[in-house]
Amino acid sequence: MSHSNHTYSHATYRLYDDKADFAKKAQGIAVGLTVGSWTDLPEAAKEQMQKHLGQVVSVDVHEPADAQPGQRYADITIAYPDLNFSRDIPAFLVTVFGKLSMDGKIKLIDIAPSSDFLSAFTGPKFGVQGVRDLLGVHDRPLVMSIFKSVIGHDLANLREQFLQQALGGVDLIKDDEILFENPLTPLEKRVEACASAAREAEQATGQKLIYFTNLTGPTFELKTNAKRAIAAGANGLLFNVLAYGFDALAELAADPDINVPIAAHPAMAGAFYPSPHYGISAPVLLGKLMRIAGADLSLFPSPYGSVVMPKAENLAVMEDLLTPALPQKTSFPVPSAGIHPGLVPLIMGDFGPDVVVNAGGGVHGHPGGAAAGGRAFRQAVDAIKLGQTLEQYAEKHEELRVAIERWGVRTS
Ligand code: 1AE
């Protein structure tokens, strides 16, 4: 949207209120989050402030005739002048949902930053295509394995865990997000041990592999730590974006020396998106903002596993990660938590080819061990690609057969 040569960024909110005058409320937001007051301003001041004034774009009231208490809501879209905020995500978020986030039953359900604002963000360095190019895999979903049971384990143990996961033929391995700097597996030593296991596995499988090392530490040390990890051989970084803030991710993604893909972990996302009344919607949080800030992969709870996000929200997150409507490269959707090989038909059916099948317990919990677990996932992906059911393919693929026996198959 553009008024008088000024560009605007949009934000859409869902407000629940049984009695409110939503049009008045919308006007209050447009003025309150921009110039502060309007009607009381002298005419000369109004002329001066006009370019900074927010505009109500739409007020869409949902009030069924038989509405029960708590059901009346409105979707309100406000246009904010880009003039009012600098080109960084904290400034944008504080403008559109700073104080407002605490003002009643209100949830930020969509954002449409202007092209001028978006042009300030490099976004994912690799994106879906770039990650595929790094691995040389272009014709199937990727498979990622998650380290499990890492706290309290030493380097030799960690290396062995890595090797077993890698031998199963997975494409990506990520640290557990709760593995921080510690005396048993300090950053550089951990990276060296895993990189050497990756080389060993690559000789056996002939397959390339990316290891997402957990990037941790105080905010102002993140860049240094990222570069230390890369110098030690890390070819990917895992990052707990919501604990640090989107700006930290944007700064890492924009640094030319941090030339490895970044996987965004959703830790703490549950504090933001699940309520219908408060917070920030999952597609905004784990879709648009992750991608704009520079996540090559964005993890989120799938609709099928142990920690569940409804399917409609999953698909909306995926849409925002993959839509060509944003100028940034696309990011891989990674529906996660409680994933096992028997869910692969659903994942590939719902998400299509550009998805990462990601599992921890579903790899390590395979009765034949982690290598067999990885193989079972790869076999499940191959089965669906070949148009076979998992049960058919399992007749000649032992690891998949055992996985199905252990977890079953879900087709809906
Ligand atoms: C939504 C994040 C999933 C995650 O990080 C994780 O560790 C999942 O583990 P499993 O697959 O549920 O064992």
Side-chain angles (χ1 to χ4, degrees):
M1 182 180 193
S2 168
H3 302 285
S4 333
N5 294 329
H6 298 301
T7 60
Y8 287 72
S9 292
H10 292 192
T12 302
Y13 313 92
R14 181 160 293 175
L15 261 95
Y16 277 87
D17 197 305
D18 287 337
K19 296 198 183 82
D21 175 344
F22 286 122
K24 198 168 161 200
K25 181 77 189 167
Q27 199 55 44
I29 295 170
V31 174
L33 294 190
T34 57
V35 295
S37 70
W38 185 251
T39 43
D40 297 338
L41 287 180
E43 285 310 308
K46 279 189 179 169
E47 201 173 315
Q48 171 77 11
M49 299 308 282
Q50 178 66 43
K51 58 182 182 295
H52 295 284
L53 177 64
Q55 307 287 332
V56 177
V57 176
S58 59
V59 180
D60 187 6
V61 180
H62 295 253
E63 187 172 24
D66 58 347
Q68 303 298 307
Q71 288 185 336
R72 182 174 180 265
Y73 71 89
D75 289 343
I76 292 175
T77 299
I78 306 291
Y80 293 92
D82 285 340
L83 267 182
N84 291 3
F85 47 90
S86 46
R87 300 296 178 258
D88 55 88
I89 294 176
F92 177 83
L93 282 178
V94 171
T95 296
V96 307
F97 205 45
K99 207 161 63 177
L100 185 59
S101 68
M102 299 173 271
D103 188 9
K105 285 187 175 167
I106 184 162
K107 181 166 179 173
L108 178 64
I109 59 169
D110 199 10
I111 56 170
S114 69
S115 1
D116 185 73
F117 182 81
L118 288 172
S119 69
F121 297 89
T122 50
K125 260 200 198 81
F126 296 85
V128 170
Q129 195 55 41
V131 171
R132 286 193 175 287
D133 290 345
L134 289 174
L135 294 164
V137 177
H138 295 96
D139 59 348
R140 60 167 172 80
L142 303 182
V143 176
M144 174 147 81
S145 174
I146 309 169
F147 264 109
K148 288 281 148 182
S149 311
V150 282
I151 290 181
H153 289 262
D154 63 12
L155 279 172
N157 194 295
L158 203 77
R159 188 186 188 285
E160 183 55 25
Q161 272 199 52
F162 189 99
L163 185 62
Q164 289 309 314
Q165 294 173 84
L167 287 172
V170 299
D171 306 290
L172 317 163
I173 296 181
K174 82 161 190 70
D175 266 344
D176 204 339
E177 73 282 1
I178 55 169
L179 184 64
F180 302 102
E181 195 57 1
N182 71 92
L184 284 173
T185 50
L187 180 65
E188 275 124 332
K189 296 263 179 273
R190 176 164 99 238
V191 171
E192 281 160 14
C194 293
S196 110
R199 284 192 295 275
E200 187 179 331
E202 277 173 31
Q203 286 190 342
T205 62
Q207 226 188 281
K208 288 192 187 142
L209 205 140
I210 299 174
Y211 166 43
F212 292 93
T213 313
N214 198 19
L215 175 61
T216 66
T219 304
F220 288 171
E221 291 170 24
L222 285 173
K223 279 194 174 193
T224 307
N225 290 347
K227 289 169 196 177
R228 280 173 53 213
I230 291 166
N235 59 356
L237 296 169
L238 176 73
F239 190 48
N240 287 309
V241 177
L242 299 174
Y244 287 96
F246 286 102
D247 192 53
L249 172 59
E251 287 288 306
L252 293 166
D255 188 325
D257 295 329
I258 300 176
N259 53 356
V260 298
I262 301 176
H265 196 278
M268 289 182 48
F272 294 91
Y273 75 77
S275 163
H277 299 133
Y278 303 101
I280 302 178
S281 74
V284 172
L285 193 75
L286 301 168
K288 275 187 189 164
L289 287 171
M290 286 297 185
R291 178 170 166 194
I292 295 166
D296 296 281
L297 287 78
S298 176
L299 280 70
F300 48 90
S302 81
Y304 333 105
S306 53
V307 179
V308 171
M309 182 203 288
K311 185 164 158 185
E313 281 175 67
N314 258 259
L315 299 183
V317 172
M318 172 183 73
E319 165 72 18
D320 284 337
L321 293 173
L322 295 177
T323 177
L326 284 174
Q328 282 75 22
K329 286 180 182 156
T330 54
S331 317
F332 258 117
V334 192
S336 306
I339 303 299
H340 58 74
L343 293 170
V344 169
L346 282 180
I347 297 173
M348 288 175 68
D350 289 337
F351 288 86
D354 282 332
V355 66
V356 175
V357 177
N358 179 33
V363 169
H364 299 272
H366 191 286
R375 273 183 218 115
F377 271 103
R378 287 292 310 277
Q379 291 163 2
V381 169
D382 289 345
I384 303 306
K385 258 195 70 187
L386 291 168
Q388 297 190 19
T389 65
L390 295 193
E391 290 88 344
Q392 285 166 337
Y393 205 67
E395 284 170 19
K396 293 197 174 141
H397 294 86
E398 180 59 10
E399 289 90 351
L400 182 57
R401 189 193 66 72
V402 172
I404 292 175
E405 202 172 87
R406 165 84 173 77
W407 287 290
V409 176
R410 258 186 67 188
T411 48
S412 64

